[in-house]
Amino acid sequence: MLYAGDERKHNNPNLAYVDAESVRGGNRVTANLSTLLSDFTNKLDQLKEHVTRVYVRSEDKDYRLKNKARINDLMDGWAVVNAVSDVSDKEDKINKVQTVSSLTQATPTNYPSERAVRLLHDQEIADRNSAISNAINSIKDDVNPQFDTLKKIADAFVGSPVQKSFSSLTERNAFNVSRLPFQAFVTNDGDGKWALYQAISTGSSATYVKISDPDLLNTALSDQQIKAAYERNLDTNVFTNADKEKLSGVTKDFTLSFPQPVRFYKDYFQNDVVISEAIGDGVNLLRYSTDGGKVFEQITLPFSGSLKIRAGWIIWRIDFPNTTVALAAVNIKLL
């Protein structure tokens, strides 16, 4: 608070307290809210939080500085000061007279900073009581089962979960959904499979809609729908049963002819092949070599089975059984 000693401190009885460079706080006057936010930014050392009060003419209100760091922000830096009643003025006057015996003619207007502190104290008590009342009402609101108040207090600190896992629908339905959005993952929703639900209401026995489960995923498209969707692509060709029958009728075979006295025939396989059948005409023994004729393996005709031939050049060879055979042939069928 300010006393006469402060006036003597700056040695200028004609200079107001609020304008003294060595005195902080006190009352000020400004034209409007714009000047309130700009007039005092260069005089922070003369101001004091919760003490400095400025009367704004355009508003006809007093504003108290509550945060010097936010002096340019009306909401965060300033607070409106309520009008002081005559009773408060009288109480201030009595307190000043009793506190300062040397100033027997003191009035509340002599000590504006103390009035500001008193108003601040009263306002802070009112704000605190209001906040406590609102918190109590929020905790009590819609309390259903026993101990739910404790759950609401916990939710106020950690927040309501957005998803929770349950072992069954019964366990899910007993859960109190405090706020949305909320999803319930049920490990067994009655068919032995998991399911994901979305709550669309709050409270116990909230209403849910199923978002997904294995059945929904597996039956999203039928086999026929998948096939039809694939065949609709422009860069695919439809393969029908008729096409399959045509391909099934295609046989892979070839015939080797050996006119006497030619006994060798050279052939080439681009890929490995498997011989499933070989039938001779005028010959009962067929030989083949895959190493350029160094080693010949023999096939007794007729042959039926599975004989793998490696890719590359192959030399076929036959022996004519007698001189009466002018032309021999072997038909070879591949898998």
Side-chain angles (χ1 to χ4, degrees):
M1 63 182 66
L2 305 176
Y3 299 115
D6 292 312
E7 178 182 325
R8 290 192 293 274
K9 181 176 181 180
H10 55 71
N11 296 322
N12 190 345
N14 296 322
L15 186 62
Y17 296 140
V18 294
D19 290 329
E21 295 300 327
S22 59
V23 178
R24 298 191 301 171
N27 281 7
R28 307 251 177 176
V29 177
T30 190
N32 51 51
L33 293 179
S34 175
T35 55
L36 170 65
L37 300 178
S38 61
D39 280 355
F40 307 108
T41 56
N42 61 345
K43 295 185 177 181
L44 290 179
D45 60 324
Q46 300 179 24
L47 309 180
K48 187 173 181 62
E49 293 178 354
H50 310 309
V51 174
T52 297
R53 188 171 68 173
V54 179
Y55 173 74
V56 181
R57 293 190 183 94
S58 64
E59 303 294 312
D60 191 22
K61 293 179 181 178
D62 286 329
Y63 284 79
R64 170 182 53 81
L65 178 63
K66 64 179 182 180
N67 186 351
K68 291 174 63 174
R70 305 287 293 173
I71 191 171
N72 292 325
D73 189 319
L74 186 63
M75 297 295 296
D76 294 340
W78 300 86
V80 177
V81 179
N82 295 331
V84 183
S85 64
D86 293 339
V87 174
S88 296
D89 287 341
K90 292 178 182 179
E91 291 177 351
D92 282 345
K93 181 176 180 180
I94 294 173
N95 290 337
K96 299 301 183 301
V97 172
Q98 292 176 346
T99 304
V100 188
S101 58
S102 60
L103 300 176
T104 55
Q105 300 300 321
T107 64
T109 55
N110 290 125
Y111 309 99
S113 59
E114 185 175 341
R115 290 180 58 194
V117 172
R118 183 189 184 103
L119 289 172
L120 171 64
H121 176 71
D122 294 341
Q123 186 62 44
E124 288 179 342
I125 291 177
D127 292 343
R128 185 161 56 250
N129 290 339
S130 176
I132 293 173
S133 178
N134 291 337
I136 292 174
N137 291 335
S138 176
I139 292 174
K140 289 181 177 180
D141 182 45
D142 296 330
V143 173
N144 282 332
Q146 189 178 13
F147 306 124
D148 194 52
T149 298
L150 296 177
K151 178 65 172 59
K152 286 201 169 189
I153 294 175
D155 287 346
F157 286 97
V158 302
S160 178
V162 295
Q163 187 179 81
K164 185 174 175 63
S165 179
F166 303 95
S167 61
S168 64
L169 292 176
T170 302
E171 183 181 355
R172 180 206 69 179
N173 295 338
F175 181 73
N176 181 35
V177 180
S178 61
R179 67 188 68 178
L180 300 177
F182 177 78
Q183 290 184 346
F185 182 85
V186 182
T187 56
N188 182 358
D189 69 342
D191 60 357
K193 302 175 183 178
W194 63 265
L196 182 63
Y197 293 87
Q198 179 79 38
I200 58 175
S201 66
T202 58
S204 299
S205 298
T207 302
Y208 293 89
V209 293
K210 183 182 290 188
I211 299 176
S212 180
D213 68 4
D215 295 330
L216 291 176
L217 295 176
N218 294 336
T219 60
L221 287 176
S222 66
D223 293 344
Q224 292 77 12
Q225 289 173 321
I226 293 173
K227 182 179 183 299
Y230 173 77
E231 298 295 0
R232 282 196 296 268
N233 289 296
L234 297 179
D235 57 348
T236 61
N237 297 313
V238 178
F239 182 73
T240 65
N241 290 335
D243 296 329
K244 181 179 179 181
E245 290 179 1
K246 291 179 181 179
L247 291 175
S248 298
V250 176
T251 58
K252 297 187 292 183
D253 65 337
F254 61 95
T255 299
L256 303 174
S257 296
F258 300 91
Q260 194 178 25
V262 177
R263 298 190 304 155
F264 294 93
Y265 188 95
K266 197 169 187 179
D267 200 1
Y268 179 79
F269 292 117
Q270 186 174 4
N271 301 302
D272 292 350
V273 298
V274 176
I275 297 176
S276 61
E277 187 177 343
I279 302 174
D281 181 18
V283 62
N284 56 15
L285 186 63
L286 176 67
R287 294 181 175 89
Y288 70 93
S289 173
T290 57
D291 59 2
K294 296 178 181 180
V295 177
F296 280 89
E297 304 291 342
Q298 68 179 29
I299 304 174
T300 301
L301 303 177
F303 169 81
S304 178
S306 177
L307 176 62
K308 184 176 181 180
I309 305 294
R310 293 178 303 177
W313 289 102
I314 182 171
I315 299 175
W316 304 100
R317 172 187 170 183
I318 67 167
D319 294 327
F320 287 94
N322 53 60
T323 59
T324 61
V325 177
L327 180 65
V330 179
N331 179 262
I332 299 175
K333 185 179 292 186
L334 305 176
L335 287 178

